Amino acid sequence: MTVIRVLLVDDDPLVRAGLSFMMGGAADIEIVGEAADGGEAETLAERTRPDVVLMDVRMPGVDGLTATERLRARPKAPQVVVLTTFHADEQVLRALRAGAAGFVLKDTPPAEIVEAVRRVAAGDPVLSPAVTRQLMRQAAGAAGDDRRSRARERLAALNDREREVAVRVGQGLANAQIAAGLFMSVATVKTHVSRILAKLGLNNRVQIALLAHDAGLLEEDAS
């Protein structure tokens, strides 16, 4: 059994204690450290090498957004899941652009938070289609012509098939759903996703989705 190493980052000791307690019963999860702000998280991450970091956004000192950017820029970067009290918040959106693999609400049932950690460790971002749509609407409202133009310039590096996959990632579809819709194998979808990430210099599927929305690809697909 592979054990998932988790670092908890929140300025509220009660929240950290609750998270530690709820994950303590999972045999495949090990809490390797707790931090009260982003600066402490960076130091602990260097020492403990976590697989997943559960990161609060609003903290004194170094906030969760800055810490996420710094952690994701490292070689062998840990996956970051944002902890928030809001369903769709500008800070959460910025954290996703910085490379976070998704987010969970602080009042999410314990079993779902544990499962979110497992999914992220396995490379599957934690964003439900409903939450994805809500965040994307906010992103679209904030995106002007310049952002759309820049996004389209970046996506020009993709071939037609990769572009089709990017659109469906933006729709929140899983690999199996993409494979069925485009009549290809799941392994081929994974290969396309890996190539998209490499070509565009992105960290994860969430960033593919955000870029596709910025470029207006989902609007075109729906028309």
Side-chain angles (χ1 to χ4, degrees):
M1 178 181 62
T2 301
V3 175
I4 304 166
R5 299 169 61 81
V6 176
L7 173 62
L8 305 177
V9 187
D10 196 295
D11 62 331
D12 188 337
L14 291 179
V15 171
R16 297 199 307 272
L19 291 169
S20 181
F21 178 78
M22 75 173 63
M23 294 186 188
D28 59 338
I29 293 177
E30 176 187 1
I31 305 300
V32 297
E34 298 182 14
D37 79 350
E40 187 181 355
E42 292 178 66
T43 301
L44 279 175
E46 183 69 29
R47 186 167 75 243
T48 62
R49 302 292 181 183
D51 301 304
V52 177
V53 178
L54 282 178
M55 180 80 74
D56 190 18
V57 175
R58 295 176 174 83
M59 295 179 290
V62 178
D63 62 41
L65 174 62
T66 301
T68 296
E69 291 174 333
R70 292 174 179 174
L71 288 174
R72 290 299 300 163
R74 295 183 177 194
K76 298 182 179 179
Q79 297 293 341
V80 178
V81 178
V82 175
L83 290 167
T84 181
T85 55
F86 302 98
H87 284 272
D89 174 80
E90 176 61 25
Q91 292 291 325
V92 173
L93 185 60
R94 290 177 61 199
L96 295 178
R97 292 190 187 281
F103 72 88
V104 294
L105 299 176
K106 289 185 177 181
D107 60 358
T108 298
E112 293 183 22
I113 294 181
V114 171
E115 184 58 27
V117 168
R118 290 178 177 137
R119 285 178 54 192
V120 166
D124 183 15
V126 181
L127 278 178
S128 70
V131 170
T132 298
R133 286 192 294 272
Q134 189 173 7
L135 278 169
M136 297 310 174
R137 281 196 298 269
Q138 183 172 342
D145 291 340
D146 286 345
R147 176 174 287 175
R148 174 161 296 194
S149 177
R150 290 195 301 270
R152 291 190 174 221
E153 287 177 5
R154 293 184 69 185
L155 290 169
L158 305 181
N159 61 38
D160 290 344
R161 204 56 162 165
E162 290 164 349
R163 188 182 178 94
E164 290 176 328
V165 171
V167 168
R168 282 153 181 80
V169 170
Q171 293 169 336
L173 301 183
N175 286 341
Q177 294 171 304
I178 297 173
L182 294 179
F183 305 102
M184 61 176 68
S185 69
V186 172
T188 300
V189 173
K190 290 180 179 179
T191 297
H192 281 309
V193 170
S194 295
R195 288 176 179 168
I196 293 168
L197 293 171
K199 283 185 176 182
L200 302 180
L202 301 176
N203 284 304
N204 55 44
R205 295 167 69 102
V206 175
Q207 291 185 326
I208 295 175
L210 288 168
L211 193 60
H213 279 78
D214 283 351
L217 294 189
L218 299 196
E219 298 168 20
E220 295 173 1
D221 191 65
S223 62

PDB file of all heavy atoms in Angstrom, residues 49 68 73 89 99 120 143 162 183 191-192:
ATOM      1  N   ARG A  49       8.713  16.722   2.440  1.00  0.00           N
ATOM      2  CA  ARG A  49       8.406  16.211   1.098  1.00  0.00           C
ATOM      3  C   ARG A  49       6.997  15.605   1.011  1.00  0.00           C
ATOM      4  O   ARG A  49       6.825  14.419   0.700  1.00  0.00           O
ATOM      5  CB  ARG A  49       9.440  15.163   0.674  1.00  0.00           C
ATOM      6  CG  ARG A  49      10.868  15.654   0.669  1.00  0.00           C
ATOM      7  CD  ARG A  49      11.084  16.676  -0.413  1.00  0.00           C
ATOM      8  NE  ARG A  49      12.467  17.154  -0.456  1.00  0.00           N
ATOM      9  CZ  ARG A  49      12.906  18.098  -1.273  1.00  0.00           C
ATOM     10  NH1 ARG A  49      12.056  18.675  -2.105  1.00  0.00           N
ATOM     11  NH2 ARG A  49      14.169  18.484  -1.267  1.00  0.00           N
ATOM     12  N   THR A  68       1.218  28.641  -2.623  1.00  0.00           N
ATOM     13  CA  THR A  68       0.894  27.694  -3.695  1.00  0.00           C
ATOM     14  C   THR A  68       1.775  27.938  -4.910  1.00  0.00           C
ATOM     15  O   THR A  68       2.330  26.992  -5.495  1.00  0.00           O
ATOM     16  CB  THR A  68      -0.591  27.830  -4.092  1.00  0.00           C
ATOM     17  OG1 THR A  68      -1.412  27.452  -2.985  1.00  0.00           O
ATOM     18  CG2 THR A  68      -0.920  26.932  -5.279  1.00  0.00           C
ATOM     19  N   ALA A  73       6.138  25.754  -8.134  1.00  0.00           N
ATOM     20  CA  ALA A  73       7.281  26.072  -8.995  1.00  0.00           C
ATOM     21  C   ALA A  73       8.490  25.200  -8.698  1.00  0.00           C
ATOM     22  O   ALA A  73       9.468  25.219  -9.448  1.00  0.00           O
ATOM     23  CB  ALA A  73       7.659  27.550  -8.828  1.00  0.00           C
ATOM     24  N   ASP A  89     -14.622  31.936  -5.134  1.00  0.00           N
ATOM     25  CA  ASP A  89     -13.987  33.110  -4.580  1.00  0.00           C
ATOM     26  C   ASP A  89     -12.814  33.482  -5.472  1.00  0.00           C
ATOM     27  O   ASP A  89     -12.121  32.619  -5.988  1.00  0.00           O
ATOM     28  CB  ASP A  89     -13.530  32.788  -3.153  1.00  0.00           C
ATOM     29  CG  ASP A  89     -12.731  33.905  -2.540  1.00  0.00           C
ATOM     30  OD1 ASP A  89     -13.326  34.877  -2.062  1.00  0.00           O
ATOM     31  OD2 ASP A  89     -11.496  33.792  -2.558  1.00  0.00           O
ATOM     32  N   GLY A  99      -1.717  26.835  -9.978  1.00  0.00           N
ATOM     33  CA  GLY A  99      -1.329  25.436 -10.048  1.00  0.00           C
ATOM     34  C   GLY A  99      -1.965  24.520  -9.034  1.00  0.00           C
ATOM     35  O   GLY A  99      -1.622  23.341  -8.963  1.00  0.00           O
ATOM     36  N   VAL A 120      -6.389  13.575  -5.646  1.00  0.00           N
ATOM     37  CA  VAL A 120      -5.344  14.506  -6.061  1.00  0.00           C
ATOM     38  C   VAL A 120      -3.988  13.811  -6.103  1.00  0.00           C
ATOM     39  O   VAL A 120      -3.185  14.033  -7.021  1.00  0.00           O
ATOM     40  CB  VAL A 120      -5.316  15.726  -5.120  1.00  0.00           C
ATOM     41  CG1 VAL A 120      -4.047  16.533  -5.317  1.00  0.00           C
ATOM     42  CG2 VAL A 120      -6.533  16.604  -5.373  1.00  0.00           C
ATOM     43  N   ALA A 143     -12.601  38.150 -17.518  1.00  0.00           N
ATOM     44  CA  ALA A 143     -11.680  38.056 -18.644  1.00  0.00           C
ATOM     45  C   ALA A 143     -12.055  39.056 -19.723  1.00  0.00           C
ATOM     46  O   ALA A 143     -13.164  39.062 -20.219  1.00  0.00           O
ATOM     47  CB  ALA A 143     -11.713  36.634 -19.213  1.00  0.00           C
ATOM     48  N   GLU A 162      -5.787  17.661 -29.994  1.00  0.00           N
ATOM     49  CA  GLU A 162      -5.461  18.166 -28.662  1.00  0.00           C
ATOM     50  C   GLU A 162      -6.429  19.280 -28.264  1.00  0.00           C
ATOM     51  O   GLU A 162      -6.841  19.377 -27.104  1.00  0.00           O
ATOM     52  CB  GLU A 162      -4.022  18.678 -28.636  1.00  0.00           C
ATOM     53  CG  GLU A 162      -2.982  17.569 -28.734  1.00  0.00           C
ATOM     54  CD  GLU A 162      -1.604  18.066 -29.100  1.00  0.00           C
ATOM     55  OE1 GLU A 162      -1.476  19.257 -29.495  1.00  0.00           O
ATOM     56  OE2 GLU A 162      -0.652  17.287 -29.005  1.00  0.00           O
ATOM     57  N   PHE A 183     -14.191   8.850 -29.337  1.00  0.00           N
ATOM     58  CA  PHE A 183     -13.921   7.536 -29.935  1.00  0.00           C
ATOM     59  C   PHE A 183     -12.419   7.212 -29.930  1.00  0.00           C
ATOM     60  O   PHE A 183     -11.817   6.901 -30.959  1.00  0.00           O
ATOM     61  CB  PHE A 183     -14.471   7.470 -31.370  1.00  0.00           C
ATOM     62  CG  PHE A 183     -15.933   7.794 -31.462  1.00  0.00           C
ATOM     63  CD1 PHE A 183     -16.359   9.040 -31.902  1.00  0.00           C
ATOM     64  CD2 PHE A 183     -16.891   6.862 -31.057  1.00  0.00           C
ATOM     65  CE1 PHE A 183     -17.714   9.355 -31.970  1.00  0.00           C
ATOM     66  CE2 PHE A 183     -18.245   7.164 -31.125  1.00  0.00           C
ATOM     67  CZ  PHE A 183     -18.655   8.414 -31.578  1.00  0.00           C
ATOM     68  N   THR A 191      -2.481  10.503 -22.987  1.00  0.00           N
ATOM     69  CA  THR A 191      -1.328  10.961 -23.765  1.00  0.00           C
ATOM     70  C   THR A 191      -1.558  12.368 -24.282  1.00  0.00           C
ATOM     71  O   THR A 191      -0.672  13.231 -24.216  1.00  0.00           O
ATOM     72  CB  THR A 191      -1.065  10.010 -24.947  1.00  0.00           C
ATOM     73  OG1 THR A 191      -0.737   8.716 -24.434  1.00  0.00           O
ATOM     74  CG2 THR A 191       0.092  10.521 -25.799  1.00  0.00           C
ATOM     75  N   HIS A 192      -2.765  12.621 -24.793  1.00  0.00           N
ATOM     76  CA  HIS A 192      -3.089  13.961 -25.294  1.00  0.00           C
ATOM     77  C   HIS A 192      -3.025  15.001 -24.167  1.00  0.00           C
ATOM     78  O   HIS A 192      -2.492  16.098 -24.360  1.00  0.00           O
ATOM     79  CB  HIS A 192      -4.483  13.981 -25.922  1.00  0.00           C
ATOM     80  CG  HIS A 192      -4.532  13.411 -27.304  1.00  0.00           C
ATOM     81  ND1 HIS A 192      -3.678  13.808 -28.311  1.00  0.00           N
ATOM     82  CD2 HIS A 192      -5.342  12.477 -27.869  1.00  0.00           C
ATOM     83  CE1 HIS A 192      -3.950  13.154 -29.420  1.00  0.00           C
ATOM     84  NE2 HIS A 192      -4.961  12.326 -29.181  1.00  0.00           N
TER      85      HIS A 192
END
